[in-house]
């Protein structure tokens, strides 16, 4: 999606570490939306990238200082992982206004599994569940998401 692409652009082609959780959530939403539109290949591609981003986010230690930018801007500003706090180059701490769990970590690495198995709130996935061509593949993705949640 466009917002996910902007995160890569913000990081000069790579998603800045501080935005990886947010990016994972955006891709999960894009994947779900593509599935709802019956654009299954695009949906699976987003789910692959989303789960990789959730895994990367989980690899950062709690309290890590993560870069929010790149060499062309904001490279010396850090965010504390899972906290709505920026550390400016002079050491000043600033709170990120209106930051919540979804902003900071995309809901955590269990979010893809939750989304794919709770169709009452994530009905976008309904067209792929039991689909004669893509249903079995989606079931494999549910298993991948379950393993990610349990890592």
């Amino acid at each position: 999606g466009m917002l996910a692409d902007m995160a890569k652009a913000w990081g000069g082609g790579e998603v800045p570490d501080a935005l990886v959780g947010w990016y994972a959530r955006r891709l999960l939403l894009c994947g779900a939306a593509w599935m709802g539109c019956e654009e299954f290949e695009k949906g699976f591609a987003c789910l692959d990238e989303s789960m990789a981003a959730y895994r990367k986010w989980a690899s950062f230690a709690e309290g890590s200082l993560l870069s929010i930018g790149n060499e062309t801007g904001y490279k010396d500003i850090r965010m504390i992982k899972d906290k709505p706090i920026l550390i400016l180059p002079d050491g000043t701490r600033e709170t990120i206004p209106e930051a919540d769990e979804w902003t900071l970590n995309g809901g955590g690495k269990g979010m893809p599994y939750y989304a794919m198995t709770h169709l009452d709130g994530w009905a976008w996935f309904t067209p792929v569940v039991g689909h004669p061509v893509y249903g079995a593949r989606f079931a494999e993705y549910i298993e991948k998401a379950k393993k990610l949640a349990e890592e």
Side-chain angles (χ1 to χ4, degrees), residues 77-117:
I77 298 175
R78 304 281 183 256
M79 183 185 84
I80 300 173
K81 183 184 180 200
D82 290 333
K83 303 222 182 295
I85 299 170
L86 295 176
I87 309 295
L88 304 181
D90 67 1
T92 303
R93 290 176 174 241
E94 294 285 337
T95 300
I96 303 170
E98 300 180 26
D100 59 19
E101 180 180 9
W102 309 115
T103 305
L104 299 174
N105 67 16
K109 66 182 180 156
M111 193 65 209
Y113 181 70
Y114 178 86
M116 288 186 243
T117 58

Side-chain angles (χ1 to χ4, degrees), residues 23-51:
Y23 177 74
R25 171 80 170 174
R26 300 285 86 56
L27 287 170
L28 178 60
L29 292 171
C30 287
W34 282 123
M35 293 296 186
C37 294
E38 298 187 16
E39 292 282 347
F40 301 121
E41 290 300 332
K42 291 177 182 178
F44 286 124
C46 286
L47 292 178
D48 282 333
E49 200 167 345
S50 174
M51 286 194 276

